[in-house]
Short mmCIF file of all heavy atoms in Angstrom, two decimals:
data_model
loop_
_atom_site.label_atom_id
_atom_site.label_comp_id
_atom_site.label_asym_id
_atom_site.label_seq_id
_atom_site.Cartn_x
_atom_site.Cartn_y
_atom_site.Cartn_z
N ALA A 417 16.79 14.52 7.98
CA ALA A 417 16.95 13.06 7.90
C ALA A 417 18.43 12.75 7.66
O ALA A 417 18.92 12.78 6.54
CB ALA A 417 16.08 12.48 6.79
N LYS A 419 20.19 10.26 7.48
CA LYS A 419 20.61 9.19 6.58
C LYS A 419 21.05 9.71 5.22
O LYS A 419 21.83 9.09 4.52
CB LYS A 419 19.49 8.15 6.41
CG LYS A 419 18.24 8.71 5.75
CD LYS A 419 17.24 7.61 5.39
CE LYS A 419 16.43 7.18 6.58
NZ LYS A 419 15.47 8.20 7.07
N ASP A 438 16.42 13.64 12.34
CA ASP A 438 15.66 12.39 12.26
C ASP A 438 16.69 11.29 12.08
O ASP A 438 17.48 11.34 11.13
CB ASP A 438 14.70 12.45 11.07
CG ASP A 438 14.21 11.09 10.64
OD1 ASP A 438 13.71 10.35 11.49
OD2 ASP A 438 14.31 10.77 9.43
N ARG A 508 4.20 4.99 13.50
CA ARG A 508 4.25 5.21 12.06
C ARG A 508 3.18 4.37 11.41
O ARG A 508 3.14 3.15 11.57
CB ARG A 508 5.62 4.83 11.51
CG ARG A 508 5.65 4.90 10.00
CD ARG A 508 7.02 5.19 9.50
NE ARG A 508 7.10 5.07 8.06
CZ ARG A 508 8.23 4.90 7.41
NH1 ARG A 508 9.36 4.81 8.09
NH2 ARG A 508 8.25 4.81 6.10
N ILE A 521 12.36 2.93 -3.33
CA ILE A 521 12.31 4.02 -2.34
C ILE A 521 10.86 4.45 -2.09
O ILE A 521 10.59 5.56 -1.65
CB ILE A 521 13.21 5.21 -2.75
CG1 ILE A 521 12.95 5.68 -4.18
CG2 ILE A 521 14.66 4.86 -2.56
CD1 ILE A 521 13.74 6.93 -4.57
N HIS A 558 5.46 8.44 6.38
CA HIS A 558 6.48 8.78 5.36
C HIS A 558 6.21 7.84 4.20
O HIS A 558 6.33 6.63 4.35
CB HIS A 558 7.90 8.58 5.92
CG HIS A 558 8.96 8.72 4.87
ND1 HIS A 558 9.41 9.95 4.43
CD2 HIS A 558 9.64 7.80 4.15
CE1 HIS A 558 10.34 9.76 3.49
NE2 HIS A 558 10.50 8.46 3.30
N SER A 561 10.43 8.49 -1.09
CA SER A 561 11.47 9.49 -1.31
C SER A 561 11.49 9.89 -2.77
O SER A 561 11.01 9.14 -3.63
CB SER A 561 12.80 8.84 -0.92
OG SER A 561 13.80 9.79 -0.73
N GLN A 562 12.06 11.05 -3.05
CA GLN A 562 12.18 11.57 -4.42
C GLN A 562 10.80 11.72 -5.08
O GLN A 562 10.57 11.29 -6.21
CB GLN A 562 13.15 10.69 -5.24
CG GLN A 562 13.44 11.12 -6.67
CD GLN A 562 13.93 12.57 -6.83
OE1 GLN A 562 14.31 13.22 -5.88
NE2 GLN A 562 13.88 13.10 -8.02
N GLY A 597 9.59 12.85 5.15
CA GLY A 597 10.33 13.64 4.16
C GLY A 597 9.82 13.30 2.77
O GLY A 597 8.63 13.07 2.60
N GLY A 598 10.73 13.27 1.81
CA GLY A 598 10.35 12.77 0.50
C GLY A 598 10.36 13.74 -0.65
O GLY A 598 10.23 13.33 -1.81
N GLU A 632 10.70 15.82 8.02
CA GLU A 632 11.99 15.11 8.01
C GLU A 632 12.63 15.15 6.63
O GLU A 632 12.84 14.10 6.01
CB GLU A 632 11.78 13.65 8.41
CG GLU A 632 11.19 13.42 9.78
CD GLU A 632 10.80 11.97 10.02
OE1 GLU A 632 10.77 11.16 9.06
OE2 GLU A 632 10.53 11.63 11.18
N PRO A 633 12.93 16.32 6.09
CA PRO A 633 13.56 16.34 4.77
C PRO A 633 15.01 15.87 4.83
O PRO A 633 15.72 16.19 5.78
CB PRO A 633 13.49 17.82 4.37
CG PRO A 633 13.52 18.55 5.68
CD PRO A 633 12.80 17.66 6.67
N GLY A 634 15.42 15.10 3.84
CA GLY A 634 16.80 14.68 3.74
C GLY A 634 17.36 15.19 2.42
O GLY A 634 18.08 16.18 2.36
N ARG A 635 16.94 14.51 1.34
CA ARG A 635 17.46 14.82 0.01
C ARG A 635 17.32 16.30 -0.35
O ARG A 635 18.24 16.90 -0.90
CB ARG A 635 16.68 13.97 -1.01
CG ARG A 635 17.25 14.03 -2.40
CD ARG A 635 16.31 13.32 -3.39
NE ARG A 635 15.78 12.08 -2.94
CZ ARG A 635 16.30 10.88 -3.22
NH1 ARG A 635 17.37 10.79 -3.97
NH2 ARG A 635 15.73 9.79 -2.76
N ARG A 671 23.81 4.94 -6.50
CA ARG A 671 22.44 5.28 -6.93
C ARG A 671 22.16 4.93 -8.40
O ARG A 671 21.09 4.39 -8.70
CB ARG A 671 22.13 6.75 -6.68
CG ARG A 671 22.27 7.17 -5.22
CD ARG A 671 21.64 8.53 -4.91
NE ARG A 671 20.19 8.44 -5.01
CZ ARG A 671 19.48 8.85 -6.01
NH1 ARG A 671 20.06 9.45 -7.03
NH2 ARG A 671 18.20 8.69 -6.03
N TYR A 675 19.15 2.30 -8.37
CA TYR A 675 17.80 2.87 -8.61
C TYR A 675 17.62 3.36 -10.04
O TYR A 675 16.70 4.16 -10.30
CB TYR A 675 17.56 4.07 -7.70
CG TYR A 675 17.88 3.88 -6.25
CD1 TYR A 675 18.90 4.63 -5.66
CD2 TYR A 675 17.16 3.00 -5.46
CE1 TYR A 675 19.20 4.49 -4.31
CE2 TYR A 675 17.46 2.85 -4.12
CZ TYR A 675 18.48 3.59 -3.56
OH TYR A 675 18.78 3.46 -2.23
N TYR A 731 22.56 10.64 -0.17
CA TYR A 731 22.62 9.20 -0.45
C TYR A 731 23.80 8.88 -1.37
O TYR A 731 23.71 7.99 -2.21
CB TYR A 731 21.28 8.70 -1.02
CG TYR A 731 20.11 9.07 -0.13
CD1 TYR A 731 19.16 10.02 -0.52
CD2 TYR A 731 19.97 8.49 1.13
CE1 TYR A 731 18.11 10.37 0.31
CE2 TYR A 731 18.92 8.84 1.97
CZ TYR A 731 18.00 9.78 1.55
OH TYR A 731 16.96 10.13 2.38
N MET A 735 26.23 5.92 1.29
CA MET A 735 25.94 4.58 0.78
C MET A 735 27.19 3.94 0.19
O MET A 735 27.10 2.92 -0.50
CB MET A 735 24.80 4.63 -0.25
CG MET A 735 23.47 5.05 0.37
SD MET A 735 22.10 5.08 -0.82
CE MET A 735 21.75 3.33 -0.98
N1 LLP B 964 11.88 10.07 7.05
C1 LLP B 964 11.88 8.73 6.94
C2 LLP B 964 11.15 7.93 7.92
C3 LLP B 964 12.58 8.11 5.88
O1 LLP B 964 12.56 6.79 5.76
C4 LLP B 964 13.29 8.92 4.95
C5 LLP B 964 14.03 8.32 3.85
C6 LLP B 964 13.27 10.32 5.13
C7 LLP B 964 12.55 10.86 6.18
C8 LLP B 964 14.00 11.24 4.21
O2 LLP B 964 13.51 11.18 2.92
P1 LLP B 964 14.00 12.24 1.82
O3 LLP B 964 13.50 13.61 2.24
O4 LLP B 964 15.48 12.21 1.78
O5 LLP B 964 13.40 11.76 0.57
N2 LLP B 964 18.79 5.81 -0.74
C9 LLP B 964 17.64 6.28 -1.48
C10 LLP B 964 16.66 7.06 -0.62
C11 LLP B 964 16.18 6.28 0.60
C12 LLP B 964 15.25 7.09 1.47
C13 LLP B 964 14.94 6.35 2.71
N3 LLP B 964 14.12 7.07 3.65
C14 LLP B 964 18.12 7.10 -2.68
O6 LLP B 964 19.31 7.23 -2.88
O7 LLP B 964 17.30 7.58 -3.46
#
Side-chain angles (χ1 to χ4, degrees):
K419 63 171 80 69
D438 161 52
R508 174 152 172 200
I521 51 175
H558 172 79
S561 197
Q562 183 54 14
E632 300 171 348
R635 189 188 316 264
R671 302 194 69 258
Y675 312 115
Y731 306 110
M735 294 182 77

